[in-house]
Amino acid sequence: MKLVFAGTPEVAVPALDALIASGRHEVAAVVTRPDAPAGRGRRLVASPVAERAEEAGIEVLKPAKPRDPGFLERLREIAPDCCPVVAYGALLPRVALDVPARGWVNLHFSLLPAWRGAAPVQHALMAGDEITGASTFLIEEGLDSGPVYGTVTETVRPTDTSGDLLTRLAFAGAGLLAATMDGIEDGSLEAVPQPAEGVTLAPKITVEDARVDWTAPALRVDRVVRGCTPAPGAWTTFRGERLKLVQAVPLPDRSDLAPGQLAAGKNNVYVGTGSHAVELLWVQAQGKKPMRAADWARGARITEGERVGD
């Protein structure tokens, strides 16, 4: 088939690579979000998908909105059979959805109908899911509600951050998307409607969602820290300033600290929760680089009875 691939961040690159490498289909063009400011100089930078496509000599389309007349005209000129999508980052209007004969097929990082929305991996971790995965489905105008072509499953490991899990799903999902394109082409795959039961939503995680509630059990604190790493980053406050929590582990054997109460030793930093304590391993103070929590505590000269989160 002739394909137009839509995607933007690094997590979409393995799928683009898989489609290019398959040799069975022609990736005629790539659609991605416009260049965005990045770094201290805030200079405009192309998306990871755009950079990869340019390396491969593939035409890159960067519409401000996918309903832009110029983009739609070019899409019709290319006349793709199908448009595979991975984390493109913009809603596709009906006028765009109608262009490819076999539709737009999205690779979504959950086992649909669970976790429809922008942040499925973060929500799966924060909810304590033990199994997650990726799905390919035919895009409709509803939110991740279209019929499903295929799935792959992935076990959530006890120390996984959303970054860890998303990286594994990006590569597993790349193979799934390539296989889905093959199945659509040869007629061996038919999309199956999603069940009405089991629908959960995964809206974008806000900065406020990532704030740690120290009155919650340690297990919940652990899930929030892992689910919000690397973005948007779990955080609390200390002496009136924000403190980012990069890595923490629950300590079932210690329950002598009140919620938010700090205890700093020579090589360890502990915080009380609504159940037992957690040990802070890595933190990032405001305006600083990430550092070991014990080094941060020594520099801060934490005194007995001090707290985080107040």
Side-chain angles (χ1 to χ4, degrees):
M1 296 189 295
K2 182 189 282 188
L3 307 177
V4 170
F5 178 87
T8 298
E10 188 67 40
V11 73
V13 172
L16 176 58
D17 283 339
L19 293 170
I20 294 170
S22 78
R24 182 165 171 173
H25 311 288
E26 175 199 356
V27 182
V30 156
V31 185
T32 191
R33 299 293 290 152
D35 297 358
R40 287 190 175 180
R42 306 306 289 164
R43 65 185 181 91
L44 290 179
V45 175
S47 74
V49 163
E51 290 182 350
R52 180 67 188 95
E54 285 162 3
E55 287 171 8
I58 297 170
E59 179 181 356
V60 179
L61 307 173
K62 302 178 182 180
K65 294 182 180 178
R67 63 171 66 252
D68 288 356
F71 164 68
L72 293 170
E73 181 181 352
R74 181 61 188 136
L75 191 63
R76 293 188 189 104
E77 286 172 355
I78 296 169
D81 297 299
C82 189
C83 295
V85 184
V86 186
Y88 169 47
L91 288 176
L92 297 161
R94 171 52 59 189
V95 66
L97 293 177
D98 288 341
V99 174
R102 302 197 182 189
W104 297 68
V105 176
N106 192 40
L107 171 64
H108 182 75
F109 297 114
S110 81
L111 298 175
L112 291 169
W115 305 126
R116 294 177 180 173
V121 174
Q122 290 97 323
H123 279 277
L125 274 173
M126 290 168 75
D129 290 1
E130 295 180 352
I131 299 288
T132 187
S135 308
T136 49
F137 70 94
L138 184 65
I139 294 180
E140 300 177 336
E141 288 185 276
L143 177 65
D144 300 333
S145 59
V148 173
Y149 282 107
T151 60
V152 290
T153 58
E154 181 69 36
T155 300
V156 180
R157 300 171 188 172
T159 59
D160 271 342
T161 65
S162 61
D164 298 332
L165 188 52
L166 194 53
T167 297
R168 296 205 305 278
L169 288 172
F171 284 94
L176 172 65
L177 186 62
T180 299
M181 293 297 107
D182 295 348
I184 290 172
E185 184 213 11
D186 64 23
S188 62
L189 267 186
E190 188 173 329
V192 177
Q194 294 183 34
E197 306 81 33
V199 175
T200 49
L201 299 180
K204 182 179 178 181
I205 302 290
T206 67
V207 172
E208 195 53 40
D209 292 332
R211 182 172 189 167
V212 169
D213 174 7
W214 296 107
T215 65
L219 192 61
R220 173 64 183 168
V221 172
D222 173 58
R223 289 174 180 173
V224 170
V225 172
R226 291 189 295 115
C228 293
T229 300
W235 62 281
T236 187
T237 53
F238 177 70
R239 296 177 184 166
E241 292 190 340
R242 187 171 295 189
L243 179 69
K244 194 172 180 180
L245 307 174
V246 180
Q247 188 180 15
V249 292
L251 292 177
D253 297 335
R254 180 157 190 180
S255 55
D256 60 317
L257 298 173
Q261 184 182 350
L262 282 162
K266 185 177 179 181
N267 298 306
N268 307 91
V269 181
Y270 308 106
V271 186
T273 74
S275 58
H276 45 79
V278 298
E279 181 180 358
L280 303 184
L281 300 180
W282 284 82
V283 299
Q284 184 174 1
Q286 203 162 309
K288 307 274 187 174
K289 292 182 177 180
M291 65 179 75
R292 292 190 180 277
D295 295 337
W296 164 77
R298 275 194 296 274
R301 297 183 180 178
I302 292 169
T303 58
E304 187 175 346
E306 280 201 278
R307 308 168 60 86
V308 288
D310 287 344

